[in-house]
Amino acid sequence: MSIKTGVRVSEGLVALEDEPTRLAETLDRIFTRWAKGSGAVSLTVPPLLPVADLALLDVYRNFPQLALVSSALNVSVAGIEQVGQEAVAGEFGPGSLHAAGLALPSSACYGVYLHYRNRQVPLGGELVTLVGQCFRNEDHFDGLRRLKAFRMREVVALGTPDQVTDHLGRSARFLDALAGKIGLPLERRAASDPFYDQSGERAAFQQIVPVKHEYLYRGMAIASVNTHNTFFGERCSISLSSHGPVSTSCVGFGIERWLHALADHFGGDWDQAQGTVEKAETSLA
């Protein structure tokens, strides 16, 4: 189905007009209200993260092909004329750039674990929520389904294994309830988690005990619930009082993919989608 109005996508970059923008705001309000009702506090993290910090999380070992990095222009070496010519041509060559020490993160929750690095979490655990712009160098782009830049609302738990498992259970029940109120057919499916190295003990563990479940609309994941055990607690030295590294889990909602699913489900009628989602919001409040 082709979304008729309100969405313009070019080379994986999207612009939304009023109707889909309003629906995206409503969706994020529902996600955030649920998170706050569960006890989450809001967090804002930098839109750029140091490459060295992401390397600590195995980002570049697990999926380097998705990485996008940020660099500054090296005007003193390349010269203003060369820089200007390359800009008109549409891209800057390596000789015009400084080394890239900053990255555009592919997942919003990375900033959470780095924010808590070398800190201690209280025994009651921590629950935080944030919305982040995520960036992925996909091998192809496809409307709202697969973008180079997209938004992700995440709710992240840091605590004991029981606390993070409880968070996953609450997340699953919320997703089931929201989809039910909207009438949106979703399929829950176990999946591999890219936070884990795809070799060795961690990969073997997730073959036995799934650490990621995706919620799919017509084969497209629009949300996921994930447990990471103590991976991020160990890598970022986040401790739970005197009980060792924290366990973590998160739920992520892809805003633009939710928009695609709703537009598809309601035949491109943004008003009908908006009205149905607002009724769901009222019902869940």
Side-chain angles (χ1 to χ4, degrees):
M1 166 267 187
S2 175
I3 298 172
K4 296 178 180 178
T5 61
V7 176
R8 298 186 65 184
V9 184
S10 176
E11 297 182 0
L13 303 175
V14 64
L16 302 174
E17 295 179 2
D18 181 66
E19 290 176 310
T21 294
R22 187 160 60 98
L23 182 55
E25 291 170 347
T26 303
L27 286 165
D28 192 49
R29 185 171 66 240
I30 293 172
F31 303 148
T32 305
R33 180 176 296 169
W34 168 75
K36 295 292 187 67
S38 298
V41 296
S42 294
L43 180 67
T44 300
V45 298
L48 295 173
L49 295 173
V51 167
D53 287 351
L54 292 178
L56 178 70
L57 308 180
D58 284 352
V59 168
Y60 302 110
R61 182 161 66 172
N62 288 345
F63 36 95
Q65 73 280 1
L66 296 180
L68 289 166
V69 296
S70 175
S71 175
L73 291 171
N74 194 343
V75 180
S76 62
V77 171
I80 293 177
E81 183 175 350
Q82 178 177 318
V83 167
Q85 291 173 350
E86 290 180 348
V88 171
E91 62 180 26
F92 297 110
S96 297
L97 299 171
H98 284 285
L102 292 173
L104 291 75
S106 57
S107 293
C109 62
Y110 292 151
V112 175
Y113 312 122
L114 293 170
H115 173 76
Y116 279 91
R117 183 167 45 177
N118 299 322
R119 291 173 59 182
Q120 189 175 90
V121 171
L123 280 176
E126 295 272 20
L127 192 65
V128 300
T129 186
L130 75 164
V131 63
Q133 191 81 39
C134 303
F135 304 87
R136 295 182 186 175
N137 183 40
E138 302 279 9
D139 58 7
H140 72 282
F141 301 105
D142 183 11
L144 291 173
R145 290 174 287 247
R146 190 177 293 266
L147 292 164
K148 181 174 287 187
F150 58 93
R151 287 167 294 171
M152 184 77 72
R153 166 63 62 180
E154 296 214 36
V155 188
V156 182
L158 306 94
T160 66
D162 286 345
Q163 287 165 346
V164 301
T165 299
D166 287 346
H167 172 53
L168 295 182
R170 290 194 305 270
S171 301
R173 290 190 293 274
F174 168 71
L175 278 161
D176 289 340
L178 177 59
K181 295 294 184 182
I182 296 173
L184 193 66
L186 296 185
E187 174 193 356
R188 186 173 186 261
R189 183 182 68 185
S192 61
D193 195 322
F195 290 127
Y196 285 81
D197 187 355
Q198 297 306 300
S199 62
E201 294 180 0
R202 295 186 187 277
F205 172 79
Q206 70 174 330
Q207 296 302 316
I208 302 169
V209 182
V211 297
K212 179 187 183 78
H213 283 90
E214 294 176 330
Y215 286 76
L216 292 87
Y217 173 82
R218 294 192 173 182
M220 176 188 68
I222 66 173
S224 67
V225 293
N226 315 267
T227 180
H228 322 112
N229 299 299
T230 58
F231 177 80
F232 290 113
E234 293 168 3
R235 291 300 177 91
C236 294
S237 299
I238 310 169
S239 61
L240 184 67
S241 187
S242 60
H243 292 67
V246 296
S247 296
T248 63
S249 64
C250 70
V251 56
F253 307 91
I255 303 296
E256 282 76 15
R257 283 192 172 188
W258 275 82
L259 289 180
H260 173 83
L262 290 166
D264 182 86
H265 183 64
F266 291 102
D269 188 332
W270 293 116
D271 286 339
Q272 186 180 3
Q274 180 71 38
T276 304
V277 171
E278 287 179 351
K279 287 180 182 177
E281 179 181 22
T282 300
S283 178
L284 293 169

